[in-house]
Amino acid sequence: MTRRTSVPDDFAVPRELTADGFRLEPLEPRHDESDHEAWSSSIEHIRATPGFRERRWPPADGMSLADDLRDLTEHADDFAARFGFTSTVLGDDDRVVGCVHIHPSRTDEGVVDVRSWVRADRRELGGPLHDAVAAWPASSWPFERIPADRPAVAAHPS
């Protein structure tokens, strides 16, 4: 896929979404330790989440904190380049409890894919996160198409 911006140059990218029990903000390198702890404690749970079952992330054997930092830096660079938008999900205590990915589809031009995960010990936030994020792309983002034949955000495993 050719890397191109996925939103118009004059579009003000939403930087926050707040809901009961959590808030989203752009994922950045400063989230590294909390992000690493969140996903590495929940590898099987995340890999069972729709939207992640067919992907190789998170790696079954995990990754180092330094490798995670490189991953977060890439997500932050994509956000700054307006190509892909990855937000961390922070609980009321400001710890990372999950992540939301909004990216151009790898296979369908003009389509956006939205995936999210929550850590296993905060799985009760999976449903509320799904509900909050499911309407967000259509209501707050200028995407051409969000696939009608599959949910904008896959439901989380319970």
Side-chain angles (χ1 to χ4, degrees):
M1 163 185 269
T2 303
R3 280 184 62 89
R4 65 199 184 308
T5 60
S6 59
V7 295
D9 290 342
D10 62 348
F11 175 68
V13 174
R15 298 191 55 84
E16 186 173 79
L17 175 67
T18 302
D20 190 28
F22 62 89
R23 76 179 193 294
L24 277 63
E25 65 180 44
L27 182 63
E28 298 176 346
R30 67 185 175 86
H31 298 114
D32 189 33
E33 287 185 30
S34 186
D35 177 75
H36 185 266
E37 192 277 327
W39 69 258
S40 64
S41 69
S42 305
I43 292 173
E44 288 183 31
H45 178 72
I46 296 168
R47 290 177 71 110
T49 300
F52 291 89
R53 291 179 184 147
E54 63 280 354
R55 296 183 177 269
R56 289 183 231 123
W57 192 92
D61 296 333
M63 72 170 87
S64 71
L65 192 59
D67 287 339
D68 189 57
L69 179 58
R70 278 190 285 282
D71 194 41
L72 269 61
T73 300
E74 183 177 310
H75 286 305
D77 291 348
D78 283 350
F79 204 107
R82 304 167 65 84
F83 173 72
F85 305 94
T86 301
S87 296
T88 189
V89 181
L90 300 171
D92 289 335
D93 58 1
D94 283 337
R95 287 184 51 222
V96 172
V97 296
C99 202
V100 173
H101 301 266
I102 301 174
H103 294 277
S105 171
R106 294 178 179 181
T107 57
D108 298 322
E109 183 77 25
V111 174
V112 64
D113 286 331
V114 180
R115 292 177 281 109
S116 64
W117 60 264
V118 294
R119 55 185 296 146
D121 64 356
R122 296 300 305 273
R123 67 183 72 221
E124 77 279 2
L125 290 178
L129 177 63
H130 172 273
D131 294 345
V133 174
W136 198 36
S139 67
S140 301
W141 294 79
F143 298 120
E144 292 176 36
R145 287 189 305 142
I146 299 168
D149 62 334
R150 60 185 187 259
V153 181
H156 287 271
S158 47

